[in-house]
Amino acid sequence: MSVQVENPRPSAVAAVIGLGSMGFGMAQSMKRAGLDVVGYDITKATVDRFVADGGRGAATLKETVQDADIVVSVVVTGAQTEAVLFGSDGIATAMKPGAVFVSSATMDPAIARSLAERLEPLGLHYLDAPISGGTARAAKGELTIMASGSRQAFAAARPALDAMAAKVYELGDAAGIGAAFKMINQLLAGVHIAAACEAISFAAKQGLDLQKVYEVITASAGNSWMFENRIPHVLAGDYTPLSAIEIFVKDLGIVQDMARSERYPVPLVAAALQMYLAASGAGMGRDDDSSLARLYAQLSGVELPGMNKEPQQA
């Protein structure tokens, strides 16, 4: 008697647009979870690297999404997200009916709402899903995702969300809510990095042993996640960009614009933003955001590890 074996259910096809420091890890995480992943990036070498890692690559945006059930966009800005969807090579008219667009860019909530309002009448779903956690967590599938959208959008995106994140916060049924949560996170993150860099540079000005400062502060009430995470970059004199200065020029600028429209004061954001702008103007825009410590050091005549290294030009 023969036993008929059913064909296994095909895995969902996920397209990842933007294979940068975060997108590459997110694509890897989905591939490990069994999704059929196709990747696209404006840098062909990055696509080739993903193919060498076992993924599929595409040469154009529309080719990337033509068979995809889930499209994860990991570009940087709202303007870039709009171009991905509705630009000259935009994917809005190339996506499968019923597919979901998962937007991971940090943007003004009003832009997220506008994009959803334009996409959903085409028979597609929009999930507002900004991310937090950094490159290492992206590679491990352990991101935090702050998501909002319709029940159908969440259901369609679930295989990708489960693969990419340790925590998925379902924050509401409309686009823009997730974006607003992310901006609160970025307010805190940007200010905390600036405070950490100010503190370690001030410690150097006092002639303190910086390794000992790190040991003491991380065991004390003044510690923060950003101090603990970023100050080792300063101590090593390694400003390889895991998260660049320009990210917080953008994000704190969005926070300040949002606050101004609400007539809400954000003086700490304003002060931190000026430091990021100064670091960018000094040629550190593409360097790690812990480069604020170098800026403080330059302003005050302090020597930090790696001070003689040339910054990458923005």
Side-chain angles (χ1 to χ4, degrees):
M1 177 179 175
S2 62
V3 177
Q4 186 174 0
V5 179
E6 294 184 3
N7 291 327
R9 184 178 179 182
S11 61
V13 177
V16 178
I17 296 171
L19 295 171
S21 58
M22 298 294 287
F24 196 94
M26 293 161 72
Q28 286 179 311
S29 296
M30 285 188 279
K31 187 164 57 65
R32 281 198 310 271
L35 279 72
D36 180 7
V37 185
V38 55
Y40 172 82
D41 195 273
I42 58 173
T43 304
K44 183 179 182 298
T46 306
V47 179
D48 293 342
R49 177 184 166 217
F50 183 62
V51 171
D53 193 55
R56 292 196 289 132
T60 69
L61 283 171
K62 290 181 178 178
E63 178 188 340
T64 308
V65 305
Q66 61 187 1
D67 298 319
D69 306 293
I70 306 163
V71 177
V72 181
S73 175
V74 202
V75 296
V76 178
T77 69
Q80 290 174 349
T81 306
E82 181 178 23
V84 164
L85 284 171
F86 303 110
S88 58
D89 191 33
I91 65 172
T93 57
M95 289 173 62
K96 290 169 54 176
V100 59
F101 182 83
V102 180
S103 176
S104 295
T106 301
M107 67 181 75
D108 188 311
I111 296 176
R113 288 192 293 270
S114 174
L115 294 176
E117 288 168 0
R118 294 170 65 185
L119 188 67
E120 289 171 348
L122 302 178
L124 302 167
H125 303 295
Y126 185 102
L127 192 68
D128 179 16
I131 54 179
S132 182
T135 303
R137 291 184 185 178
K140 295 177 182 177
E142 296 178 353
L143 291 171
T144 296
I145 298 181
M146 304 164 224
S148 64
S150 68
R151 179 172 50 83
Q152 293 86 351
F154 273 107
R158 185 62 58 190
L161 298 176
D162 289 346
M164 296 186 295
K167 294 181 180 179
V168 178
Y169 288 101
E170 299 186 17
L171 302 170
D173 61 3
I177 301 172
F181 270 82
K182 179 62 184 291
M183 296 321 304
I184 301 303
N185 180 79
Q186 295 307 91
L187 183 161
L188 290 165
V191 169
H192 287 174
I193 291 168
C197 291
E198 183 173 296
I200 200 67
S201 301
F202 187 51
K205 189 71 172 179
Q206 303 303 306
L208 302 180
D209 179 331
L210 298 187
Q211 290 286 350
K212 185 60 69 175
V213 169
Y214 180 76
E215 178 184 342
V216 171
I217 296 302
T218 54
S220 303
N223 190 33
S224 68
W225 191 91
M226 285 301 186
F227 186 94
E228 195 162 342
N229 182 266
R230 296 304 203 268
I231 297 309
H233 305 178
V234 178
L235 301 182
D238 183 0
Y239 298 98
T240 302
L242 301 180
S243 175
I245 287 286
E246 288 294 342
I247 294 295
F248 281 103
V249 170
K250 171 182 73 76
D251 290 356
L252 293 188
I254 294 172
V255 172
Q256 190 159 267
D257 289 344
M258 290 169 62
R260 182 168 54 247
S261 70
E262 298 286 345
R263 298 300 185 263
Y264 184 85
V266 283
L268 298 183
V269 167
L273 177 56
Q274 292 304 308
M275 297 305 295
Y276 289 105
L277 285 167
S280 179
M284 304 176 196
R286 292 172 55 193
D287 288 351
D288 192 73
D289 51 33
S290 60
S291 291
L292 282 191
R294 278 192 295 174
L295 181 68
Y296 275 106
Q298 289 175 5
L299 292 172
S300 59
V302 165
E303 281 292 323
L304 291 174
M307 285 290 290
N308 58 343
K309 294 182 181 178
E310 288 294 322
Q312 300 181 41
Q313 293 301 311

